[in-house]
Amino acid sequence: MKALHPDFPYSPSDLLRSVEGLIRWSNVQITRTGVIWSPPTIDSFKWNVDGYSLGKPGLSGIGGVLRNHHGYLLGIFSLPVGILDSNIAELRAVVKAVELSTSNCLLHHKHITIESDSANVISWMHNSHNRPWMHRELFSTVQRLTRFFGSITFSHVYRESNSLAYCMDKQGVRRSSDFIAWF
């Protein structure tokens, strides 16, 4: 990750030995541009997700980071998703966050916030008339899985407050297999 984010202070072997450093690093809230990551409300959880494409379309990856109201890192993912454009990669990141949330019973019946830096995807999540029809199956998956949660909110954020997810999606492009970790 250091190669993808110059401020990341830990090597892969450091992370295998202990996730404490990653948890500490992920709680940094003020970025170089002054944008602040804000924690979710008490007893709720927040995914920051991102999708990346090396072209339009191009080789793509997705990433996401789950934190609780203390800002502690609870889960992380980085996956290759094939040849997509950046909007659909971002949509796949939203879908993966919802799918992973349903797989963790600790998140059931809780409020989940999903933040993305894609204004298009957040607009699609809020307005079903705007959605690209060819991806209706992805939207249906999200709709079907929302019954597991007390509520779910989709919000747009600037890239600067989505930095760890941004690192994970870049890493996903280069992966040959999925990386998913729960802490």
Side-chain angles (χ1 to χ4, degrees):
M1 285 183 49
K2 188 182 231 22
L4 299 174
H5 197 288
D7 297 334
F8 191 72
Y10 305 102
S11 71
S13 60
D14 292 336
L15 294 177
L16 288 174
R17 283 193 296 271
S18 171
V19 296
E20 291 302 313
L22 182 59
I23 291 169
R24 235 182 351 270
W25 187 78
S26 70
N27 289 335
V28 174
Q29 296 181 359
I30 300 175
T31 66
R32 66 183 186 283
T33 60
V35 176
I36 297 174
W37 176 86
S38 61
T41 58
I42 292 176
D43 291 328
S44 63
F45 300 89
K46 181 185 283 188
W47 279 102
N48 286 88
V49 299
D50 206 11
Y52 179 72
S53 180
L54 292 172
K56 195 158 176 82
L59 197 56
S60 301
I62 60 174
V65 179
L66 176 68
R67 296 182 183 105
N68 66 10
H69 66 276
H70 295 293
Y72 295 137
L73 189 66
L74 303 176
I76 195 165
F77 69 86
S78 177
L79 293 81
V81 289
I83 307 291
L84 301 171
D85 76 23
S86 57
N87 284 317
I88 304 310
E90 195 87 29
L91 176 59
R92 291 276 181 101
V94 168
V95 173
K96 181 50 93 175
V98 172
E99 289 173 340
L100 287 172
S101 296
T102 61
S103 72
N104 186 332
C105 63
L106 296 175
L107 301 176
H108 291 187
H109 309 293
K110 301 289 186 178
H111 176 73
I112 305 290
T113 298
I114 298 179
E115 290 184 338
S116 165
D117 59 15
S118 171
N120 286 339
V121 171
I122 296 304
S123 172
W124 295 341
M125 299 313 295
H126 288 242
N127 184 354
S128 61
H129 301 295
N130 248 358
R131 296 174 179 167
W133 65 269
M134 65 177 57
H135 301 290
R136 65 186 172 276
E137 192 172 307
L138 294 173
F139 295 107
S140 293
T141 298
V142 171
Q143 187 65 36
R144 181 176 40 81
L145 296 177
T146 57
R147 65 184 169 84
F148 285 93
F149 312 115
S151 59
I152 190 165
T153 304
F154 301 95
S155 300
H156 177 262
V157 294
Y158 293 105
R159 176 172 291 159
E160 292 81 7
S161 58
N162 214 20
S163 61
L164 189 52
Y166 183 67
C167 291
M168 297 309 290
D169 71 357
K170 298 273 182 306
Q171 209 178 62
V173 170
R174 293 169 182 83
R175 288 190 177 283
S176 59
S177 61
D178 298 354
F179 171 76
I180 299 169
W182 294 101
F183 304 106

